[in-house]
Amino acid sequence: MQAATAFGKLRSAAASASPAPMAAISATQSEAPAAPAAVSRKSGWPFLTFGLIAVLGFIYWAELHFGFEQGRNSAPDIVSLTAFGGLDGSLVFQSGEWWRIFTAPLLHGSLSHYLGNALALLFAGMILERLIGASWFAALFVIAGLGGAAGSLA
């Protein structure tokens, strides 16, 4: 019969019932604790993170390529951003264009804005996607985007 211990390791129930000798206790105390199984199991490349950065880069390219006018420093102007779904409180509340809450987090106002967000997403995504998995990381990305849009409207 086996009993579960910390971090999912199994040991026999007979061994857990009898006291361990002093040498075995000191040997186990000097060992570093093992990583949780959930962390060590999710390894590899953070494909969702790279995919999000690529999609956001494509959207920024589309803003520049299909925009009405170029702003300063080859950035999309405010008219183009509004046409692509940027947030404007009067359009959301008075005109009922609630879809802008979902599209605005994907838009970027300049190349430095995109690069800063891509760098932050890369650093956070490389850690979080391995820790919590791609599904939870995608949910966190959506919730953060909606939270930013709500904060922008407040």
Side-chain angles (χ1 to χ4, degrees), residues 79-98:
V79 176
S80 297
L81 288 173
T82 304
F84 281 121
L87 274 180
D88 183 3
S90 63
L91 292 174
V92 172
F93 294 119
Q94 294 171 359
S95 298
E97 297 180 4
W98 293 99

Side-chain angles (χ1 to χ4, degrees), residues 100-118:
R100 292 180 178 276
I101 295 172
F102 300 99
T103 58
L106 304 175
L107 302 176
H108 293 88
S110 66
L111 182 61
S112 62
H113 181 199
Y114 166 70
L115 292 176
N117 282 1

Side-chain angles (χ1 to χ4, degrees), residues 14-107:
S16 64
S18 63
M22 197 58 137
I25 292 174
S26 63
T28 58
Q29 289 176 348
S30 63
E31 294 177 7
V39 174
S40 61
R41 178 168 31 130
K42 295 176 182 169
S43 61
W45 291 96
F47 290 111
L48 178 64
T49 300
F50 295 144
L52 286 172
I53 291 171
V55 166
L56 293 174
F58 176 75
I59 291 171
Y60 181 69
W61 173 84
E63 291 175 32
L64 295 177
H65 189 71
F66 298 112
F68 297 116
E69 294 181 21
Q70 292 286 325
R72 64 180 207 276
N73 299 330
S74 297
D77 65 333
I78 192 70
V79 176
S80 297
L81 288 173
T82 304
F84 281 121
L87 274 180
D88 183 3
S90 63
L91 292 174
V92 172
F93 294 119
Q94 294 171 359
S95 298
E97 297 180 4
W98 293 99
W99 54 269
R100 292 180 178 276
I101 295 172
F102 300 99
T103 58
L106 304 175
L107 302 176

